[in-house]
């Protein structure tokens, strides 16, 4: 089998090569293709960063120097406060801090951003209706707009109690493969998981009038105490997930449930602009350097090219581009079809006759989908250009001490501080920017405590993509809560750290052993991001 491999949509270091013998072993082949050794160590025969074909040798020397880990922690690094490069939002760190446009886009692009914003907040309605241009909601859905989940472009949260809506959190569903066709589909990456036969790949707790919703997500928590090195006791809440009020009969007995809260939207275009070779350079799937941290890339099929591409978006890195992530959310979350996901019935399955019998929003005057071009283009542009806010207090002594501890205990092994984006990025404002996302965007085993036991694509049931940390300190300011991780179980940054296991166990244990002042300094550093 031969697979053509592209870097990403932006053309950042685009390469095409034949990959023999299917997708197994693709990581090694792909890493070599981008000039990165299997061990993740740069081949310096041609100077530093030889995979950066978008850069001159002089640029590569400059970039390699600026990305060197800090050697001293008595002052901030140059440009460290500008988390999103020249596009960083430097205004007030207020409740709208995640909703500003990339500061170095043109005036004309700002207009596109604002139109995209209006589409992002647009409330879709059930069909048929007199609005027509907003028709197509559902028939099953989790939200009526993008903004409903990504409130103020920030982080979602689990329901507060049984009476609270789960609108910014939902359950992924899948079952193990059972047929040769299903195994083959997973092997080829035609599919990343097998949907639950009746309820599909996502549990929708809302439906249009006249149709019963799929049911209700139920979360139960049990408290577990962790004793820290200084004697402080922290209580962690361990969630258990189930479903109730099922509207279409019982689920498959082997169904796997995986909860997801809506992640922040900032900096997505900059993440897409990172050269794929820079991400692969941090991969060490066999832990050949023996530091206990591996990191594996997630390879997925690009909807744009039909070829393999590096996954960067989603809690398990299942989408390679902002556009593909957006089209999937339109379909799965709202039930709106786009040119890239053209099923007007979204996640309705063949076993949900009542759902398929409802009206769709497809109208001849608009074309074959409910949200025809340029809706997806504009929403993608908006999502790609939400600016990263400027960091606060980077020179504060406690922040600098916390940064030193962050590096000393090994957090930076996965939460890679900085990158310099590709000169070939699709949007000029994203090109050649020094950015500080604090993520390697790779898959890591996070231990049994965080495992959802649901494989998807390259990610096992214990693996999650390292989430970027930029903006994390503004979560309470923007969204009014401090709930973190993929399901919002952590009620503080310290709880989030304490849930780390697997490859992060040693770093987590170091934090547990810290004395109060050091632990507070580490949290102070995270709050500055």
């Amino acid at each position: 089998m031969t697979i053509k491999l592209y870097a990403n949509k932006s053309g950042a270091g685009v390469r095409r090569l034949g990959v023999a013998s299917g997708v197994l072993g693709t990581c090694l082949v792909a890493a070599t293709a981008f000039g990165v050794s299997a061990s993740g160590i740069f081949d310096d025969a041609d100077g530093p960063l030889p995979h950066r074909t978008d850069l001159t040798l002089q640029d590569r020397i400059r970039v390699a120097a600026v990305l060197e880990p800090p050697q001293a922690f008595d002052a901030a690094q140059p440009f460290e406060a500008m988390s999103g490069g020249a596009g960083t939002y430097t205004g007030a760190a207020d409740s709208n801090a995640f909703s500003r446009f990339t500061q170095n886009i043109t005036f004309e692009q700002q207009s596109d951003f604002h139109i995209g914003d209006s589409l992002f907040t647009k409330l879709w309605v059930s069909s048929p209706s007199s609005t027509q241009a907003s028709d197509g909601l559902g028939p099953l859905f989790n939200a009526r707009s993008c903004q409903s989940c990504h409130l103020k472009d920030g982080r979602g949260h689990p329901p507060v109690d049984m009476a609270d809506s789960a609108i910014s959190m939902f359950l992924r569903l899948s079952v193990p493969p059972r047929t040769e066709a299903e195994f083959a589909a997973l092997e080829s990456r035609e599919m990343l998981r097998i949907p639950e036969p009746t309820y599909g790949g996502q549990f929708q707790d809302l439906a249009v009038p006249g149709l019963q919703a799929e049911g209700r997500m139920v979360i139960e928590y049990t408290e577990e105490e962790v004793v820290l090195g200084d004697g402080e006791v922290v209580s962690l809440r361990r969630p258990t997930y189930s479903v109730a009020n099922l509207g279409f009969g019982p689920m498959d007995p082997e169904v796997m449930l995986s909860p997801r809260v809506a992640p922040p939207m900032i900096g997505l275009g900059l993440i897409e602009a990172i050269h794929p070779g820079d991400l692969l350079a941090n991969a060490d799937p066999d832990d050949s350097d023996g530091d206990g941290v591996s990191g594996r890339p997630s390879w997925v099929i690009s909807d744009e090219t039909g070829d393999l591409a590096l996954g960067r978006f989603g809690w398990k890195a299942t989408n390679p581009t902002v556009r593909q992530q957006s089209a999937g959310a339109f379909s799965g979350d709202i039930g709106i079809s786009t040119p890239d996901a053209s099923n007007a019935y979204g996640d309705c399955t063949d076993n949900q006759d009542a759902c398929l019998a409802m009206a769709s929003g497809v109208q001849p005057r608009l074309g074959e989908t409910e949200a025809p071009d340029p809706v997806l283009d504009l929403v993608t542009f908006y999502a790609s250009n939400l600016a990263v806010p400027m960091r606060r207090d980077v020179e504060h002594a406690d922040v600098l001490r916390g940064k030193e501890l962050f590096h000393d205990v090994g957090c930076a092994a996965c939460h890679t501080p900085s990158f310099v984006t590709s000169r070939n990025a699709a949007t000029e404002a994203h090109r050649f920017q020094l950015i500080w996302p604090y993520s390697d965007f790779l898959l890591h085993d996070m231990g049994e405590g965080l495992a959802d036991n649901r494989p998807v694509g390259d990610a096992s049931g214990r693996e999650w993509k390292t989430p970027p940390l930029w903006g994390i300190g503004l979560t309470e300011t923007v969204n009014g809560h401090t709930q973190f991780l993929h399901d919002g179980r952590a009620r503080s940054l310290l709880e989030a750290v304490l849930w780390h296991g697997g490859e992060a166990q040693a770093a987590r244990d170091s934090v547990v052993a810290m004395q109060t002042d050091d632990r507070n300094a580490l949290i102070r550093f995270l709050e500055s991001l």
Side-chain angles (χ1 to χ4, degrees):
M1 181 177 180
T2 298
I3 296 175
K4 292 175 289 184
L5 172 66
Y6 289 86
N8 63 5
K9 179 184 175 184
S10 70
V14 171
R15 301 282 294 273
R16 181 194 296 241
L17 68 159
V19 179
S21 68
V23 294
L24 294 178
T26 298
C27 300
L28 175 62
V29 176
T32 305
F34 289 113
V36 181
S37 74
S39 64
I41 301 172
F42 294 116
D43 176 1
D44 59 1
D46 299 314
L49 310 176
H51 59 278
R52 290 296 300 264
T53 53
D54 59 311
L55 303 179
T56 64
L57 175 60
Q58 185 177 22
D59 277 347
R60 286 190 279 124
I61 293 171
R62 290 170 56 203
V63 169
V66 80
L67 296 181
E68 279 290 312
Q71 301 301 312
F73 296 90
D74 55 351
Q77 293 166 264
F79 309 107
E80 187 176 353
M82 299 293 282
S83 297
T88 301
Y89 174 64
T90 59
D94 58 18
S95 61
N96 292 315
F98 289 177
S99 299
R100 311 296 184 176
F101 55 79
T102 303
Q103 300 296 287
N104 57 340
I105 59 175
T106 67
F107 182 76
E108 290 75 16
Q109 289 172 322
Q110 291 176 32
S111 176
D112 288 342
F113 177 89
H114 291 304
I115 297 172
D117 186 7
S118 68
L119 293 167
F120 193 80
T121 57
K122 173 179 178 174
L123 291 174
W124 295 84
V125 300
S126 58
S127 306
S129 80
S130 58
T131 60
Q132 295 192 343
S134 298
D135 279 16
L137 178 68
L140 295 167
F141 60 98
N142 292 108
R144 291 184 60 196
S145 71
C146 308
Q147 175 83 351
S148 299
C149 295
H150 300 280
L151 186 61
K152 300 186 83 63
D153 304 295
R155 187 182 303 272
H157 62 83
V160 174
D161 52 37
M162 295 293 286
D164 190 25
S165 167
I167 198 164
S168 60
M169 179 179 184
F170 63 75
L171 293 172
R172 295 281 190 206
L173 311 174
S174 58
V175 295
R178 293 155 181 161
T179 67
E180 290 187 10
E182 290 176 344
F183 278 105
L186 294 179
E187 173 68 14
S188 68
R189 285 170 170 73
E190 176 188 347
M191 301 176 74
L192 297 181
R193 79 285 180 276
I194 306 301
E196 201 284 335
T198 299
Y199 289 84
Q202 185 166 320
F203 191 61
Q204 282 103 2
D205 56 359
L206 297 170
V208 298
L211 180 67
Q212 186 171 357
E214 291 189 324
R216 180 170 57 84
M217 174 173 59
V218 178
I219 313 175
E220 297 176 294
Y221 294 105
T222 56
E223 297 285 337
E224 301 176 2
E225 292 186 345
V226 177
V227 181
L228 306 181
D230 59 1
E232 180 179 341
V233 177
V234 177
S235 183
L236 303 181
R237 58 175 183 176
R238 180 183 295 275
T240 302
Y241 297 94
S242 60
V243 291
N245 302 339
L246 292 177
F248 296 86
M251 281 190 179
D252 188 289
E254 294 189 273
V255 66
M256 296 175 281
L257 309 178
S258 182
R260 311 289 171 84
V261 297
M265 300 286 294
I266 56 175
L268 301 185
L270 292 170
I271 295 171
E272 189 171 308
I274 297 172
H275 193 286
D278 285 349
L279 302 182
L280 294 170
N282 292 318
D284 185 12
D286 299 320
D287 191 22
S288 58
D289 63 3
D291 67 351
V293 178
S294 56
R296 301 194 300 131
S298 169
W299 293 102
V300 296
I301 298 292
S302 165
D303 284 349
E304 179 187 14
T305 66
D307 304 318
L308 280 183
L310 192 58
R312 304 166 187 241
F313 301 103
W315 285 105
K316 298 232 179 189
T318 50
N319 283 304
T321 64
V322 179
R323 182 182 177 93
Q324 192 160 322
Q325 179 81 9
S326 301
F330 261 120
S331 178
D333 300 355
I334 315 178
I336 294 295
S337 57
T338 63
D340 290 17
S342 57
N343 183 356
Y345 291 91
D347 195 41
C348 293
T349 71
D350 292 341
N351 293 322
Q352 293 175 315
D353 292 339
C355 182
L356 298 176
M358 305 302 290
S360 81
V362 175
Q363 304 163 54
R365 72 182 186 85
L366 295 178
E368 298 178 350
T369 60
E370 295 156 322
D373 289 332
V375 173
L376 184 57
D377 289 338
L378 290 164
V379 171
T380 300
F381 186 82
Y382 172 76
S384 299
N385 285 285
L386 284 159
V388 182
M390 188 177 185
R391 276 188 59 193
R392 287 82 53 210
D393 304 323
V394 292
E395 297 285 5
H396 193 285
D398 289 344
V399 171
L400 292 170
R401 172 60 180 156
K403 176 183 171 184
E404 182 175 14
L405 292 164
F406 184 86
H407 283 264
D408 284 351
V409 304
C411 303
C414 301
H415 289 285
T416 307
S418 57
F419 295 90
V420 173
T421 59
S422 172
R423 280 198 183 278
N424 296 330
T427 299
E428 184 173 356
H430 299 158
R431 295 173 190 163
F432 206 53
Q433 297 295 312
L434 172 59
I435 62 173
W436 303 78
Y438 283 89
S439 171
D440 60 6
F441 303 98
L442 298 173
L443 300 172
H444 293 275
D445 179 350
M446 294 304 294
E448 193 60 33
L450 289 176
D452 65 353
N453 300 308
R454 175 180 177 270
V456 54
D458 285 309
S460 74
R462 290 166 57 103
E463 290 179 315
W464 298 91
K465 182 197 75 179
T466 308
L469 298 181
W470 50 15
I472 199 168
L474 289 175
T475 302
E476 184 168 17
T477 300
V478 172
N479 293 118
H481 68 80
T482 55
Q483 300 182 67
F484 304 104
L485 300 175
H486 66 280
D487 56 2
R489 71 177 67 184
R491 294 162 292 193
S492 68
L493 289 170
L494 178 58
E495 286 190 28
V497 172
L498 297 180
W499 273 110
H500 282 50
E503 297 174 35
Q505 185 69 45
R508 175 265 188 199
D509 291 346
S510 295
V511 176
V512 169
M514 284 180 181
Q515 292 303 301
T516 308
D517 288 349
D518 282 347
R519 193 170 63 249
N520 290 343
L522 177 67
I523 299 301
R524 185 79 173 82
F525 164 70
L526 294 175
E527 290 173 342
S528 77
L529 296 178

